[in-house]
Amino acid sequence: AGMDAAEPELELVRQELHERFCLPNRPLLRTSSSAFRPVDAAPGKAKLKNVHLGLPASGVTGGTLYLVDGMYDYHHYMQDHFDDNGWGCAYRSFQTIMSWFRHQHYTSRAAPEHKEIQETLVKAGDKP
């Protein structure tokens, strides 16, 4: 599920190294993060990143501020020449969340496209 072919065999070794070096419970030693290589998209497919950075506080009295820890790609309506205006909010939110997992090296898999998400929903019986 998003792992390189050798990942399952290396899981116990990674766990032991994490314990030995007191590393946090994050996938720091996966092959997909070798030399901390970037996970950026192909040229022309780049997305906005970390769009929350630099925004002023909302000023809402009694409001609570929540921030994301780590890099992510912002997926939005009409991106990639795909018209999902008015119905694609959940799909784009899901793609944004999946990009966070990729940038933290929890997976090497790119965020799924709309068609793949729809096919999965049909298989799960959640969409006719």
Side-chain angles (χ1 to χ4, degrees), residues 25-40:
N25 188 18
R26 293 177 71 159
L28 300 174
L29 303 174
R30 285 214 169 148
T31 55
S32 62
S33 60
S34 297
F36 300 98
R37 72 178 186 214
V39 294
D40 291 326

Side-chain angles (χ1 to χ4, degrees), residues 1-106:
M3 291 185 182
D4 293 332
E7 294 298 330
E9 293 81 20
L10 297 174
E11 186 172 356
L12 293 176
V13 173
R14 282 197 323 268
Q15 288 173 353
E16 181 182 328
L17 289 171
H18 273 256
E19 287 179 28
R20 184 177 294 169
F21 295 112
C22 300
L23 295 172
N25 188 18
R26 293 177 71 159
L28 300 174
L29 303 174
R30 285 214 169 148
T31 55
S32 62
S33 60
S34 297
F36 300 98
R37 72 178 186 214
V39 294
D40 291 326
K45 293 277 190 174
K47 308 284 187 265
L48 296 172
K49 295 186 182 350
N50 304 326
V51 296
H52 69 287
L53 295 178
L55 293 177
S58 69
V60 174
T61 304
T64 304
L65 177 65
Y66 294 96
L67 294 178
V68 176
D69 181 20
M71 182 179 281
Y72 65 94
D73 297 328
Y74 177 60
H75 292 257
H76 56 85
Y77 297 116
M78 308 296 283
Q79 197 172 36
D80 301 324
H81 307 288
F82 190 84
D83 185 358
D84 59 348
N85 191 28
W87 64 269
C89 180
Y91 291 75
R92 297 301 185 166
S93 296
F94 180 68
Q95 289 173 319
T96 297
I97 291 167
M98 291 304 297
S99 78
W100 180 89
F101 282 98
R102 183 165 187 213
H103 280 287
Q104 297 355 285
H105 302 287
Y106 282 103

